Amino acid sequence: MKFDIILAGVGGQGVLSVSAIIASSAMHEGLSVKQSEVHGMSQRGGEVQANLRLSDKPIASDLIPRGTASLVLSMEPLESLRYLPYLSPTGTVLTSTDAVANFANYPDLEGLLARIRTLPRAILIDAERLARQAGSARATNMVMIGAASSLLPVTLETIEHFVGTLFAAKGARVVETNLKALAAGREAAVGR
């Protein structure tokens, strides 16, 4: 089993927290894990990208070759398109529909979403709305983990455990909000 994930977004969206939760969950379930990161977040809104490789065998490199990613998990629609060359022909694009239009010529959002919908396996999630309903827009990244959870080679229970671990120091209410966001994302993706 091999499952390669490109995680993409912009600074401040919690891309690396998503990667850490999935990586911790995979290691907890006995999988090999390799991760690399690109931090463009010297200012909020810069590109953030991670390669996350999961396997039941040793992994030689932390970099995902073009055309082989099982999943492009993006917090932002334009960023999902940036990494399409890495997607396997059988891979899935999972993206939030919430744009971070952080430059003057940001493309038309409806055009971007229409382009993504033409892909063979695309899942679009109104993540910020679901996070707000769960209690905080800051939990948008947890909605996206939940949406990805049925595709990942780890159990939902293990992911829930590491979401709880990540937010434990912030109190029970924050943990509860993030677990609600996780559940909302899973329901949105599975219910499609």
Side-chain angles (χ1 to χ4, degrees):
M1 184 285 300
K2 172 182 80 75
F3 197 89
D4 291 340
I5 309 167
I6 300 281
L7 298 111
V10 297
Q13 290 190 302
V15 171
L16 299 181
S17 294
V18 170
S19 184
I21 288 170
I22 296 171
S24 297
S25 298
M27 287 188 287
H28 182 77
E29 294 192 5
L31 297 177
S32 296
V33 174
K34 291 266 186 182
Q35 178 186 351
S36 66
E37 304 165 356
V38 174
H39 301 246
M41 56 186 162
S42 58
Q43 64 183 40
R44 189 172 179 89
E47 172 193 358
V48 178
Q49 180 262 343
N51 282 218
L52 180 61
R53 307 188 81 186
L54 315 175
S55 178
D56 58 0
K57 297 183 174 66
I59 303 167
S61 171
D62 55 356
L63 299 178
I64 299 171
R66 287 179 175 253
T68 65
S70 309
L71 176 65
V72 172
L73 195 172
S74 181
M75 306 297 296
E76 205 280 331
L78 183 60
E79 293 297 320
S80 71
L81 293 175
R82 181 193 307 260
Y83 295 101
L84 282 184
Y86 289 90
L87 189 65
S88 159
T90 60
T92 300
V93 172
L94 171 61
T95 185
S96 170
T97 58
D98 305 304
V100 178
N102 54 357
F103 57 92
N105 296 325
Y106 190 92
D108 171 64
L109 178 59
E110 288 309 314
L112 285 176
L113 299 178
R115 166 84 170 84
I116 295 167
R117 287 184 182 104
T118 66
L119 300 171
R121 281 163 291 286
I123 302 171
L124 290 81
I125 301 292
D126 187 354
E128 186 175 326
R129 181 183 59 81
L130 294 173
R132 287 185 191 280
Q133 289 174 351
S136 173
R138 296 181 71 181
T140 300
N141 59 343
M142 295 303 111
V143 170
M144 294 306 293
I145 293 179
S149 64
S150 66
L151 303 171
L152 300 173
V154 295
T155 66
L156 178 61
E157 292 75 21
T158 302
I159 295 170
E160 289 171 336
H161 168 76
F162 283 101
V163 169
T165 300
L166 180 67
F167 294 106
K170 295 183 178 181
R173 186 174 171 177
V174 173
V175 170
E176 180 183 343
T177 296
N178 281 281
L179 288 174
K180 278 184 183 176
L182 182 79
R186 183 174 175 96
E187 184 179 327
V190 172
R192 296 183 32 168

